[in-house]
Amino acid sequence: MNKRIASIVGAENVSDSAIDIEAYSYCCSERELKPSLVIWPRNAEQAQRMLLFANQGRTPVVLRGKGTTTSEGCIADNALVLSSERMNKITFVDLNNKLVEVEAGMSIHDLNNSLRSVNVMFPVVPLNPGQTIGGMVALNALSKQSQLIGRVNEWVEKVEFVDGTGKSFFTKKKEDVVGREGLSGFITKAQLRVVDIPSISLEFFHFNELTDLLNQVRLLRKDKEVYFLEFFDRKTSNEMGFELKYSLMAAYTSFRGKIKNAQEIKEWLDKADSAVVFIRSSGYYYMEDPFVSFEKAYDLIEWCEKHDVRLQGHIGLGAFYAYFQKKDRDLLDTFSSFLRRTGGKLGDVFGTGIKNKLWVSQEKKKEFIKLKEEYDYNNILNPDKIINYR
Ligand SMILES: Cc1cc2nc3c(=O)[nH]c(=O)nc-3n(C[C@H](O)[C@H](O)[C@H](O)COP(=O)(O)OP(=O)(O)OC[C@H]3O[C@@H](n4cnc5c(N)ncnc54)[C@H](O)[C@@H]3O)c2cc1C
């Protein structure tokens, strides 16, 4: 099989070396699932030929960007890994219409770095700068900015993808691939809308009492000038240099925030984004993505504080990141039960994959089965993810 695959993508773009197999056996969870081969197509045509070949042999294929998901959607035992990492170019820029076309393997960090020279950016900027555009489209990624501008699907015009039978599409029918976690096809390119780099101002608010914090959030959520609202638990605030109080960072699309200097804003945003790094490196190893309604934010924050679970996140959206210590692994189940009781869920940001399968509604499962029937009836793409099909 390797020879045939090498003839499609080139010998240098396929590997079964122990080191590559090991590296692609993980995502950002602890689970290890060993693939049989790692393949890096260089372009859409190679990806198409690869999927035609895999479909003929009914060979399972797991699709992968940078492997930053924690939900195990990009790992599988004995499968071929189809990685977008070597398809990482901007292929088209139309500044008049604010459109760019970018290959799936380019990271959001590299995309926005390249666009900075022409003063535009892709506005959904998630916490993890390494994630690929393909991965972001596949998971319909969310970021702090989503409070005002929505998720990635709002910014995708067209998607190029190859389905599980090897057919290629470049389509505006984006709902068939955006947020579908690779169950319908391998995304090879996306046409995205970009914006002028916005000017913002920032302000921090600090609270002793949770009710005061939530009252402030309630007010700011209705405010049209608010771009995003970031919450930090007391310990995290303290580590950021504040008192041991709950903190709220508000970003405005106007200059009414007290912090207006561009350099200072950048430093604060970098500090806020690096909270994930210093929380995890201080022993809070497991990361979950609880989503709750605004009414239940009080319960979530209180629960986490009581159990020494660190919490930060996009409080205006109800999307948080919760961090558990290694010794508290057993608490993860208790946390899931708590979330169910409050009507919250997991996997809305990090994806469903394997880990969050239990959170998928019957209605969603039916949608995925329909997609499989249309685009991948032999079920070769991400076969054990989200649903059990065939
Ligand atoms: C510290 C940390 C912070 C994070 N912050 C955020 C955040 O702010 N917002 C957010 O939304 N997520 C966040 N995530 C989750 C993760 O980074 C995203 O889910 C991201 O979109 C995954 O991109 P990736 O390139 O790493 O994809 P992978 O992890 O490789 O894959 C993720 C899923 O997408 C599928 N996929 C990947 N590429 C393709 C493709 N080309 N075609 C079809 N399917 C594909 C895979 O099969 C898999 O199901 C975070 C994760 C970590 C660990």
Side-chain angles (χ1 to χ4, degrees), residues 30-249:
E30 279 183 325
R31 189 163 187 168
E32 178 189 18
L33 296 174
K34 267 192 193 312
S36 54
L37 215 56
V38 187
I39 303 153
W40 298 270
R42 290 278 184 176
N43 53 48
E45 193 215 321
Q46 289 182 358
Q48 182 176 21
R49 289 176 61 204
M50 259 318 306
L51 288 177
L52 268 173
F53 172 67
N55 187 44
Q56 278 161 10
R58 308 288 188 265
T59 313
V61 180
V62 67
L63 308 181
R64 185 167 171 122
K66 276 283 186 341
T68 66
T69 180
T70 56
S71 66
E72 298 151 5
C74 59
I75 49 173
D77 269 335
N78 303 316
L80 307 178
V81 173
L82 199 60
S83 163
S84 65
E85 285 165 300
R86 295 184 186 169
M87 300 169 60
N88 54 9
K89 291 186 288 300
I90 297 175
T91 52
F92 176 74
V93 180
D94 174 356
L95 286 179
N96 290 330
N97 293 304
K98 298 260 162 45
L99 286 177
V100 300
E101 270 174 29
V102 55
E103 289 181 331
M106 184 167 230
S107 74
I108 178 66
H109 173 266
D110 289 352
L111 174 64
N112 276 342
N113 242 1
S114 307
L115 293 177
R116 191 168 300 131
S117 60
V118 284
N119 282 321
V120 295
M121 66 181 290
F122 186 66
V124 183
V125 188
L127 269 187
N128 195 323
Q131 54 192 266
T132 62
I133 295 302
M136 286 174 63
V137 172
L139 269 89
N140 192 15
L142 167 149
S143 69
K144 51 182 174 291
Q145 296 87 354
S146 300
Q147 184 176 334
L148 189 70
I149 63 166
R151 298 178 78 128
V152 157
N153 63 337
E154 308 275 338
W155 296 89
V156 176
E157 282 291 302
K158 284 172 88 176
V159 188
E160 182 186 81
F161 72 101
V162 183
D163 77 4
T165 66
K167 281 201 274 311
S168 194
F169 302 81
F170 190 31
T171 175
K172 287 197 165 186
K173 210 176 155 202
K174 54 189 183 180
E175 61 279 10
D176 286 0
V177 250
V178 181
R180 301 307 188 175
E181 298 196 27
L183 266 69
S184 49
F186 181 60
I187 298 158
T188 46
K189 189 168 78 180
Q191 189 183 84
L192 308 171
R193 288 193 296 123
V194 292
V195 294
D196 292 327
I197 296 174
S199 300
I200 61 169
S201 64
L202 288 185
E203 184 148 356
F204 281 91
F205 302 90
H206 308 285
F207 305 88
N208 277 318
E209 297 299 326
L210 211 41
T211 39
D212 295 336
L213 166 97
L214 291 167
N215 282 338
Q216 182 75 51
V217 174
R218 192 172 287 115
L219 281 178
L220 289 173
R221 279 173 86 217
K222 292 186 204 139
D223 191 321
K224 297 256 179 316
E225 287 181 3
V226 170
Y227 196 10
F228 52 81
L229 295 171
E230 289 289 280
F231 164 81
F232 303 95
D233 67 12
R234 291 201 268 207
K235 281 191 183 168
T236 307
S237 299
N238 202 226
E239 285 161 7
M240 286 169 77
F242 301 123
E243 283 181 60
L244 196 66
K245 293 180 176 182
Y246 304 108
S247 288
L248 184 66
M249 179 175 81

Side-chain angles (χ1 to χ4, degrees), residues 296-308:
K296 298 292 176 178
Y298 186 103
D299 304 61
L300 175 68
I301 298 169
E302 196 186 40
W303 191 97
C304 288
E305 204 162 52
K306 187 169 153 208
H307 293 89
D308 191 15

